[in-house]
mmCIF file of all heavy atoms in Angstrom:
data_model
loop_
_atom_site.group_PDB
_atom_site.id
_atom_site.type_symbol
_atom_site.label_atom_id
_atom_site.label_comp_id
_atom_site.label_asym_id
_atom_site.label_seq_id
_atom_site.Cartn_x
_atom_site.Cartn_y
_atom_site.Cartn_z
ATOM 1 N N ILE H 1 1.708 6.312 6.694
ATOM 2 C CA ILE H 1 0.700 6.858 5.774
ATOM 3 C C ILE H 1 1.329 7.144 4.415
ATOM 4 O O ILE H 1 0.786 6.760 3.371
ATOM 5 C CB ILE H 1 0.052 8.125 6.376
ATOM 6 C CG1 ILE H 1 -0.817 7.744 7.575
ATOM 7 C CG2 ILE H 1 -0.768 8.870 5.315
ATOM 8 C CD1 ILE H 1 -1.298 8.926 8.399
ATOM 9 N N VAL H 2 2.478 7.814 4.399
ATOM 10 C CA VAL H 2 3.159 8.141 3.136
ATOM 11 C C VAL H 2 3.533 6.867 2.388
ATOM 12 O O VAL H 2 3.315 6.758 1.176
ATOM 13 C CB VAL H 2 4.400 9.025 3.389
ATOM 14 C CG1 VAL H 2 5.271 9.133 2.152
ATOM 15 C CG2 VAL H 2 3.982 10.406 3.871
ATOM 16 N N ASP H 3 4.081 5.899 3.102
ATOM 17 C CA ASP H 3 4.486 4.642 2.480
ATOM 18 C C ASP H 3 3.279 3.928 1.861
ATOM 19 O O ASP H 3 3.350 3.418 0.743
ATOM 20 C CB ASP H 3 5.175 3.748 3.514
ATOM 21 C CG ASP H 3 5.967 2.626 2.888
ATOM 22 O OD1 ASP H 3 6.661 2.872 1.886
ATOM 23 O OD2 ASP H 3 5.891 1.500 3.412
ATOM 24 N N THR H 4 2.170 3.903 2.582
ATOM 25 C CA THR H 4 0.955 3.278 2.069
ATOM 26 C C THR H 4 0.466 3.993 0.812
ATOM 27 O O THR H 4 0.106 3.342 -0.182
ATOM 28 C CB THR H 4 -0.150 3.288 3.145
ATOM 29 O OG1 THR H 4 0.311 2.533 4.264
ATOM 30 C CG2 THR H 4 -1.436 2.685 2.629
ATOM 31 N N LEU H 5 0.456 5.312 0.843
ATOM 32 C CA LEU H 5 0.018 6.070 -0.328
ATOM 33 C C LEU H 5 0.918 5.822 -1.531
ATOM 34 O O LEU H 5 0.437 5.615 -2.653
ATOM 35 C CB LEU H 5 -0.038 7.566 -0.012
ATOM 36 C CG LEU H 5 -1.119 7.996 0.986
ATOM 37 C CD1 LEU H 5 -0.957 9.471 1.339
ATOM 38 C CD2 LEU H 5 -2.503 7.715 0.429
ATOM 39 N N LEU H 6 2.231 5.824 -1.304
ATOM 40 C CA LEU H 6 3.164 5.596 -2.405
ATOM 41 C C LEU H 6 3.030 4.186 -2.977
ATOM 42 O O LEU H 6 3.000 4.001 -4.194
ATOM 43 C CB LEU H 6 4.607 5.834 -1.955
ATOM 44 C CG LEU H 6 5.005 7.286 -1.692
ATOM 45 C CD1 LEU H 6 6.408 7.349 -1.109
ATOM 46 C CD2 LEU H 6 4.912 8.106 -2.964
ATOM 47 N N LEU H 7 2.951 3.187 -2.099
ATOM 48 C CA LEU H 7 2.845 1.812 -2.572
ATOM 49 C C LEU H 7 1.532 1.572 -3.326
ATOM 50 O O LEU H 7 1.498 0.796 -4.279
ATOM 51 C CB LEU H 7 2.986 0.827 -1.409
ATOM 52 C CG LEU H 7 4.384 0.709 -0.827
ATOM 53 C CD1 LEU H 7 4.369 -0.163 0.423
ATOM 54 C CD2 LEU H 7 5.366 0.170 -1.849
ATOM 55 N N ASN H 8 0.485 2.238 -2.906
ATOM 56 C CA ASN H 8 -0.800 2.077 -3.593
ATOM 57 C C ASN H 8 -0.817 2.745 -4.962
ATOM 58 O O ASN H 8 -1.750 2.536 -5.733
ATOM 59 C CB ASN H 8 -1.950 2.586 -2.730
ATOM 60 C CG ASN H 8 -2.318 1.584 -1.658
ATOM 61 O OD1 ASN H 8 -2.323 0.389 -1.907
ATOM 62 N ND2 ASN H 8 -2.615 2.057 -0.477
ATOM 63 N N MET H 9 0.185 3.513 -5.292
ATOM 64 C CA MET H 9 0.288 4.124 -6.624
ATOM 65 C C MET H 9 0.907 3.165 -7.638
ATOM 66 O O MET H 9 0.885 3.436 -8.830
ATOM 67 C CB MET H 9 1.108 5.409 -6.554
ATOM 68 C CG MET H 9 0.451 6.496 -5.762
ATOM 69 S SD MET H 9 1.576 7.895 -5.645
ATOM 70 C CE MET H 9 0.417 9.227 -5.784
ATOM 71 N N ILE H 10 1.469 2.066 -7.169
ATOM 72 C CA ILE H 10 2.070 1.070 -8.062
ATOM 73 C C ILE H 10 1.058 -0.053 -8.241
ATOM 74 O O ILE H 10 0.816 -0.836 -7.315
ATOM 75 C CB ILE H 10 3.404 0.539 -7.497
ATOM 76 C CG1 ILE H 10 4.388 1.696 -7.302
ATOM 77 C CG2 ILE H 10 3.980 -0.531 -8.412
ATOM 78 C CD1 ILE H 10 5.685 1.308 -6.654
ATOM 79 N N PRO H 11 0.449 -0.137 -9.428
ATOM 80 C CA PRO H 11 -0.631 -1.113 -9.644
ATOM 81 C C PRO H 11 -0.245 -2.565 -9.359
ATOM 82 O O PRO H 11 -1.041 -3.314 -8.803
ATOM 83 C CB PRO H 11 -0.987 -0.935 -11.125
ATOM 84 C CG PRO H 11 -0.499 0.417 -11.482
ATOM 85 C CD PRO H 11 0.686 0.691 -10.597
ATOM 86 N N SER H 12 0.975 -2.970 -9.684
ATOM 87 C CA SER H 12 1.358 -4.372 -9.523
ATOM 88 C C SER H 12 1.423 -4.826 -8.075
ATOM 89 O O SER H 12 1.343 -6.015 -7.795
ATOM 90 C CB SER H 12 2.691 -4.646 -10.216
ATOM 91 O OG SER H 12 3.715 -3.908 -9.590
ATOM 92 N N ILE H 13 1.556 -3.902 -7.138
ATOM 93 C CA ILE H 13 1.604 -4.306 -5.729
ATOM 94 C C ILE H 13 0.456 -3.752 -4.909
ATOM 95 O O ILE H 13 0.349 -4.059 -3.732
ATOM 96 C CB ILE H 13 2.943 -3.916 -5.075
ATOM 97 C CG1 ILE H 13 3.123 -2.426 -5.065
ATOM 98 C CG2 ILE H 13 4.086 -4.635 -5.699
ATOM 99 C CD1 ILE H 13 4.240 -1.990 -4.161
ATOM 100 N N ARG H 14 -0.404 -2.978 -5.519
ATOM 101 C CA ARG H 14 -1.521 -2.356 -4.788
ATOM 102 C C ARG H 14 -2.334 -3.402 -4.036
ATOM 103 O O ARG H 14 -2.588 -3.265 -2.843
ATOM 104 C CB ARG H 14 -2.412 -1.584 -5.745
ATOM 105 C CG ARG H 14 -3.542 -0.854 -5.042
ATOM 106 C CD ARG H 14 -4.403 -0.072 -5.995
ATOM 107 N NE ARG H 14 -3.590 0.875 -6.732
ATOM 108 C CZ ARG H 14 -3.681 1.081 -8.040
ATOM 109 N NH1 ARG H 14 -4.556 0.423 -8.766
ATOM 110 N NH2 ARG H 14 -2.903 1.959 -8.639
ATOM 111 N N ASP H 15 -2.742 -4.461 -4.704
ATOM 112 C CA ASP H 15 -3.573 -5.475 -4.063
ATOM 113 C C ASP H 15 -2.802 -6.284 -3.023
ATOM 114 O O ASP H 15 -3.348 -6.659 -1.995
ATOM 115 C CB ASP H 15 -4.152 -6.415 -5.114
ATOM 116 C CG ASP H 15 -5.077 -5.683 -6.071
ATOM 117 O OD1 ASP H 15 -5.676 -4.680 -5.642
ATOM 118 O OD2 ASP H 15 -5.186 -6.115 -7.231
ATOM 119 N N LEU H 16 -1.542 -6.537 -3.286
ATOM 120 C CA LEU H 16 -0.742 -7.325 -2.350
ATOM 121 C C LEU H 16 -0.447 -6.569 -1.062
ATOM 122 O O LEU H 16 -0.454 -7.131 0.021
ATOM 123 C CB LEU H 16 0.584 -7.729 -3.000
ATOM 124 C CG LEU H 16 0.506 -8.571 -4.263
ATOM 125 C CD1 LEU H 16 1.894 -8.740 -4.855
ATOM 126 C CD2 LEU H 16 -0.105 -9.918 -3.947
ATOM 127 N N GLU H 17 -0.148 -5.288 -1.185
ATOM 128 C CA GLU H 17 0.313 -4.498 -0.040
ATOM 129 C C GLU H 17 -0.804 -3.796 0.722
ATOM 130 O O GLU H 17 -0.587 -3.340 1.817
ATOM 131 C CB GLU H 17 1.320 -3.440 -0.508
ATOM 132 C CG GLU H 17 2.651 -4.009 -0.905
ATOM 133 C CD GLU H 17 3.410 -4.579 0.277
ATOM 134 O OE1 GLU H 17 3.364 -3.999 1.374
ATOM 135 O OE2 GLU H 17 4.028 -5.627 0.108
ATOM 136 N N GLU H 18 -1.984 -3.695 0.159
ATOM 137 C CA GLU H 18 -3.030 -2.882 0.764
ATOM 138 C C GLU H 18 -3.323 -3.298 2.202
ATOM 139 O O GLU H 18 -3.343 -2.479 3.102
ATOM 140 C CB GLU H 18 -4.305 -2.969 -0.073
ATOM 141 C CG GLU H 18 -5.351 -1.966 0.344
ATOM 142 C CD GLU H 18 -6.498 -1.950 -0.635
ATOM 143 O OE1 GLU H 18 -6.265 -1.884 -1.841
ATOM 144 O OE2 GLU H 18 -7.633 -2.010 -0.160
ATOM 145 N N VAL H 19 -3.544 -4.574 2.440
ATOM 146 C CA VAL H 19 -3.876 -5.037 3.780
ATOM 147 C C VAL H 19 -2.702 -4.840 4.727
ATOM 148 O O VAL H 19 -2.861 -4.331 5.830
ATOM 149 C CB VAL H 19 -4.311 -6.521 3.733
ATOM 150 C CG1 VAL H 19 -4.539 -7.058 5.123
ATOM 151 C CG2 VAL H 19 -5.566 -6.661 2.895
ATOM 152 N N SER H 20 -1.501 -5.191 4.298
ATOM 153 C CA SER H 20 -0.314 -5.050 5.133
ATOM 154 C C SER H 20 -0.056 -3.587 5.470
ATOM 155 O O SER H 20 0.236 -3.255 6.614
ATOM 156 C CB SER H 20 0.890 -5.650 4.413
ATOM 157 O OG SER H 20 2.064 -5.383 5.129
ATOM 158 N N SER H 21 -0.154 -2.717 4.478
ATOM 159 C CA SER H 21 0.099 -1.296 4.703
ATOM 160 C C SER H 21 -0.944 -0.692 5.633
ATOM 161 O O SER H 21 -0.614 0.121 6.495
ATOM 162 C CB SER H 21 0.101 -0.546 3.376
ATOM 163 O OG SER H 21 1.158 -0.997 2.571
ATOM 164 N N LEU H 22 -2.198 -1.095 5.465
ATOM 165 C CA LEU H 22 -3.241 -0.580 6.348
ATOM 166 C C LEU H 22 -3.036 -1.064 7.777
ATOM 167 O O LEU H 22 -3.312 -0.334 8.725
ATOM 168 C CB LEU H 22 -4.621 -0.963 5.825
ATOM 169 C CG LEU H 22 -5.045 -0.248 4.544
ATOM 170 C CD1 LEU H 22 -6.405 -0.747 4.075
ATOM 171 C CD2 LEU H 22 -5.053 1.257 4.729
ATOM 172 N N LYS H 23 -2.520 -2.275 7.949
ATOM 173 C CA LYS H 23 -2.196 -2.760 9.290
ATOM 174 C C LYS H 23 -1.109 -1.900 9.913
ATOM 175 O O LYS H 23 -1.165 -1.588 11.100
ATOM 176 C CB LYS H 23 -1.723 -4.217 9.237
ATOM 177 C CG LYS H 23 -2.801 -5.237 9.114
ATOM 178 C CD LYS H 23 -2.159 -6.614 9.232
ATOM 179 C CE LYS H 23 -2.990 -7.662 8.539
ATOM 180 N NZ LYS H 23 -2.334 -8.969 8.547
ATOM 181 N N ASP H 24 -0.107 -1.529 9.126
ATOM 182 C CA ASP H 24 0.971 -0.677 9.632
ATOM 183 C C ASP H 24 0.435 0.683 10.067
ATOM 184 O O ASP H 24 0.826 1.207 11.110
ATOM 185 C CB ASP H 24 2.062 -0.496 8.575
ATOM 186 C CG ASP H 24 2.822 -1.779 8.294
ATOM 187 O OD1 ASP H 24 2.773 -2.711 9.126
ATOM 188 O OD2 ASP H 24 3.473 -1.851 7.232
ATOM 189 N N VAL H 25 -0.457 1.252 9.267
ATOM 190 C CA VAL H 25 -1.054 2.549 9.618
ATOM 191 C C VAL H 25 -1.885 2.402 10.888
ATOM 192 O O VAL H 25 -1.773 3.220 11.812
ATOM 193 C CB VAL H 25 -1.906 3.118 8.457
ATOM 194 C CG1 VAL H 25 -2.677 4.347 8.897
ATOM 195 C CG2 VAL H 25 -1.017 3.452 7.263
#
């Protein structure tokens, strides 16, 4: 959860990581 929240704060990777991070959660 923390990793997903932190990564979503970086605009350049928000779209790339959103699906992957949500899968991890």
Side-chain angles (χ1 to χ4, degrees):
I1 291 169
V2 168
D3 197 42
T4 299
L5 292 173
L6 289 174
L7 289 173
N8 282 321
M9 294 175 142
I10 301 175
S12 64
I13 63 167
R14 183 179 303 135
D15 297 331
L16 300 173
E17 288 292 322
E18 190 172 312
V19 175
S20 173
S21 296
L22 290 177
K23 281 186 205 175
D24 292 341
V25 172

